[in-house]
Amino acid sequence: MKKILKIAILSLITTPMFAQFTDLQFADQYALAFSMPSLHGNARFVGMGGAFGALGANLSALSTNPAGIGLYRRGEFSFTPTLALGQTEVRQVDGINSPLRFNDRMNFNVMNFGMVNVWDISRSDNPNEWKMVQFGFGVNRQADFWNRSSYTGFVDWTYLDELTDGSNDWGSPRGTVRYVARRAGLIFHDTSDGVFSNALWGFDQNTGWYHYGGLTQHQSTETRGGINEWFMTFGGNYGDVLYLGATIGMPVVSFRQTRTLHERDDAGIHRPYFDYWRLRETLEVNGTGVNLKLGAIVRPTDFMRIGLAFHTPTRYALRENLTIEASGAGTLVNSRGHTERLDQFEYNLRTPMRLVGSLGFVIGRQALIGIEYEHLNFRNMRLTGDDPQFDLDNDFIRDNYRTGGVFRVGGEFRIDPVNIRIGYNYTISPFDTESRLVGRNFSGHTLSAGLGFVLGSTTIDIAYVNSFRRFDMQPYSNMPVPTNTMRIFEEDPMPWNRYNVSAQQFMITLGWRF
């Protein structure tokens, strides 16, 4: 998958609330960005941490356990406007002159809207029968890609070095960043011996190739977009004991990322041959998917409910467009630069199937408690298309990922006339502890709280969510380790960046029952 390997995307992995994309380097993480569970929905659902799988009667819960529609006894319409605030702190690990960068981002969206209709089909002479059937439709937001991150610091091994050594491994065919850098005069090709080099490298007849020194590096990444899942849910209530439901989900992906990387010779090590170079990549991804969710809730007593749901893999058909621009300054650099606009690229993604088990406890009219676990095997992610690179990407997924999921717990407590809610999520890292990617981690925590008011047939719910995590990542290790190598420098001291990511959401849900 040539294009994906060239662009850095960070996403949904970093928080289950407000997708913090910083720099995903590999196609595997690109798949992960569209596969990871996240906490989105209306204010009541989010305020309780999304632990609604066994409690039901909530529009957002229909994307978790569709059997929850069977607990509706009245129709409902609601929508949820949301304000999201995110902050990403970035610093180079062991970087020289690397200040801590604070990056803020704010966006507004509608997290959820939809409607449920209820039909009473019961007969008074037979209580053990189908009592009600329900139909609901709407849209639940599944992911937010809005974020901004940047860092600055001195690096010994630059991105230009990585691209140059990569050219020695695989060449620089058209459609790659390596090709654009070569056309811009940043990478040189000696046709006599086939070696690719750059202005940061020198050659000595006695000792061979050597590296003059590093550069000051600045990178900024801005992402926007999200995944909205349109849904249709059918369900029923059998004898107030068994509730069944099915949801057809149709997620729509809209993603845009712009990454700018600037490496310059502030120390004057390479002048006059090299002054600076700049790379700008703009990636747009759009597409649609389809999935089926089946669920059941059993109520053995008025106090307890047991929920179980199965989600088929989502099958996405995706289209991407990529523009790469490179330019620089110095006597060995083509001052005109070069821009490559790649044709639209189409491919398919299959996400893992999901199993959701849940318990719900109803304490009279005073309290609700929900406990839930969503299980995924990330090794089952698959990318397919015409490019043979997909086979390598899928092998990489099988070797470096593991089963993971999200643990959710939440409660609602009634103190007239207010319902008070709290919730917590813990996201398990999807990476295998034995893999070389263990430093990525991406486990995280989310805390939520909310209030609810019932005013006749009108409901008003508000919620606040705070999610946070910390992880380290290499900023441009975007090429796989070669099997047949001709790298000029065997040791690549690539820098590491440390990310502290936090996000807050403020939402209000307005609902009407009929």
Side-chain angles (χ1 to χ4, degrees):
M1 195 165 62
K2 302 171 188 161
K3 302 183 184 179
I4 297 176
L5 286 172
K6 298 189 294 287
I7 191 80
I9 306 172
L10 176 50
S11 109
L12 227 123
I13 354 179
T14 52
T15 175
M17 267 304 310
F18 176 82
Q20 275 86 28
F21 273 75
T22 37
D23 303 309
L24 282 186
Q25 320 308 338
F26 300 93
D28 61 288
Q29 291 182 316
Y30 189 56
L32 181 62
F34 298 116
S35 302
M36 197 72 174
S38 56
L39 178 59
H40 289 80
N42 59 42
R44 188 184 184 201
F45 180 86
V46 169
M48 285 185 60
F52 256 92
L55 297 172
N58 184 283
L59 272 168
S60 293
L62 304 187
S63 289
T64 303
N65 186 350
I69 198 172
L71 285 110
Y72 273 101
R73 296 183 175 274
R74 298 171 59 186
E76 180 183 53
F77 171 81
S78 70
F79 72 98
T80 307
T82 302
L83 177 67
L85 306 171
Q87 184 180 78
T88 304
E89 301 175 3
V90 188
R91 186 197 298 274
Q92 278 188 353
V93 179
D94 299 326
I96 303 173
N97 299 323
S98 176
L100 184 64
R101 293 284 182 177
F102 295 91
N103 305 272
D104 297 312
R105 191 67 189 263
M106 177 177 69
N107 78 296
F108 174 84
N109 58 65
V110 176
M111 190 67 64
N112 150 271
F113 74 84
M115 183 172 69
V116 170
N117 280 307
V118 179
W119 291 272
D120 188 341
I121 60 171
S122 63
R123 295 181 300 171
S124 59
D125 59 339
N126 186 6
N128 296 318
E129 62 176 10
W130 290 102
K131 290 177 171 280
M132 296 179 181
V133 293
Q134 298 88 359
F135 170 71
F137 64 93
V139 61
N140 285 320
R141 195 162 181 87
Q142 299 295 300
D144 278 311
F145 300 145
W146 290 78
N147 193 48
R148 181 187 291 120
S149 66
S150 65
Y151 69 88
T152 298
F154 184 86
V155 294
D156 290 318
W157 187 258
T158 71
Y159 190 39
L160 183 58
D161 293 325
E162 182 70 10
L163 292 173
T164 307
D165 244 1
S167 297
N168 284 307
D169 293 328
W170 307 283
S172 56
R174 187 163 191 169
T176 65
V177 181
R178 305 187 297 278
Y179 173 83
V180 177
R182 185 163 65 89
R183 288 294 303 271
L186 298 159
I187 296 176
F188 321 131
H189 187 209
D190 189 335
T191 56
S192 63
D193 58 11
V195 172
F196 290 88
S197 61
N198 63 48
L200 314 183
W201 298 3
F203 183 80
D204 184 272
Q205 293 290 343
N206 296 318
T207 60
W209 287 98
Y210 62 92
H211 195 262
Y212 283 116
L215 299 170
T216 299
Q217 183 182 89
H218 175 79
Q219 179 170 295
S220 63
T221 306
E222 184 174 298
T223 62
R224 60 179 61 196
I227 300 178
N228 292 315
E229 182 176 71
W230 294 84
F231 67 88
M232 294 186 298
T233 303
F234 307 85
N237 167 1
Y238 185 84
D240 290 328
V241 174
L242 175 65
Y243 308 87
L244 300 176
T247 291
I248 300 173
M250 293 163 286
V252 179
V253 174
S254 175
F255 176 86
R256 178 184 173 90
Q257 180 189 54
T258 300
R259 181 177 70 146
T260 302
L261 184 139
H262 190 191
E263 293 181 330
R264 61 183 184 269
D265 184 17
D266 286 347
I269 301 173
H270 309 285
R271 292 193 177 101
Y273 303 110
F274 180 89
D275 188 10
Y276 72 88
W277 83 289
R278 180 183 291 111
L279 173 71
R280 181 182 175 90
E281 299 169 315
T282 302
L283 173 69
E284 294 181 344
V285 180
N286 296 280
T288 57
V290 63
N291 59 57
L292 175 66
K293 304 177 178 72
L294 302 173
I297 296 175
V298 177
R299 189 174 73 168
T301 68
D302 290 341
F303 170 70
M304 185 175 68
R305 298 171 186 175
I306 303 169
L308 182 65
F310 166 76
H311 301 191
T312 68
T314 298
R315 298 183 180 273
Y316 283 106
L318 301 172
R319 303 172 303 278
E320 72 172 51
N321 292 280
L322 178 63
T323 300
I324 308 171
E325 307 167 68
S327 61
T331 58
L332 296 180
V333 178
N334 179 1
S335 60
R336 293 174 300 176
H338 184 73
T339 298
E340 191 84 357
R341 292 179 177 86
L342 304 181
D343 295 333
Q344 180 171 281
F345 183 63
E346 297 183 354
Y347 53 96
N348 300 310
L349 166 65
R350 187 190 74 194
T351 69
M353 72 175 187
R354 306 184 183 197
L355 292 174
V356 185
S358 52
L359 293 174
F361 302 94
V362 180
I363 306 172
R365 293 177 54 84
Q366 287 71 49
L368 300 174
I369 297 174
I371 302 171
E372 182 170 304
Y373 179 70
E374 182 170 350
H375 176 83
L376 304 88
N377 186 349
F378 290 100
R379 285 193 174 99
N380 291 331
M381 296 185 297
R382 290 293 179 271
L383 293 150
T384 56
D386 295 333
D387 197 322
Q389 176 66 46
F390 284 117
D391 292 335
L392 297 178
D393 297 330
N394 292 328
D395 289 342
F396 188 89
I397 289 170
R398 283 188 289 266
D399 292 341
N400 292 278
Y401 283 78
R402 66 175 182 181
T403 58
V406 180
F407 172 76
R408 307 181 182 105
V409 61
E412 178 181 86
F413 310 94
R414 183 173 182 83
I415 303 176
D416 285 329
V418 181
N419 292 314
I420 301 172
R421 302 171 185 128
I422 57 173
Y424 170 73
N425 279 195
Y426 174 68
T427 304
I428 300 171
S429 175
F431 297 109
D432 194 318
T433 55
E434 300 299 323
S435 105
R436 65 184 179 86
L437 305 179
V438 67
R440 295 181 183 177
N441 194 359
F442 290 122
S443 61
H445 307 270
T446 300
L447 300 173
S448 60
L451 299 174
F453 307 88
V454 179
L455 308 173
S457 60
T458 301
T459 59
I460 301 174
D461 299 296
I462 59 177
Y464 166 77
V465 185
N466 184 25
S467 58
F468 48 92
R469 66 192 62 229
R470 174 181 175 177
F471 57 92
D472 294 342
M473 178 175 280
Q474 290 178 313
Y476 47 82
S477 177
N478 72 334
M479 289 177 283
V481 176
T483 53
N484 298 315
T485 179
M486 58 171 291
R487 299 178 79 81
I488 302 301
F489 298 98
E490 293 300 329
E491 296 297 328
D492 298 345
M494 286 180 284
W496 285 84
N497 293 335
R498 176 156 295 161
Y499 294 86
N500 292 292
V501 182
S502 64
Q504 297 83 40
Q505 281 192 334
F506 305 86
M507 61 188 65
I508 181 170
T509 298
L510 303 177
W512 293 269
R513 296 173 179 171
F514 54 88

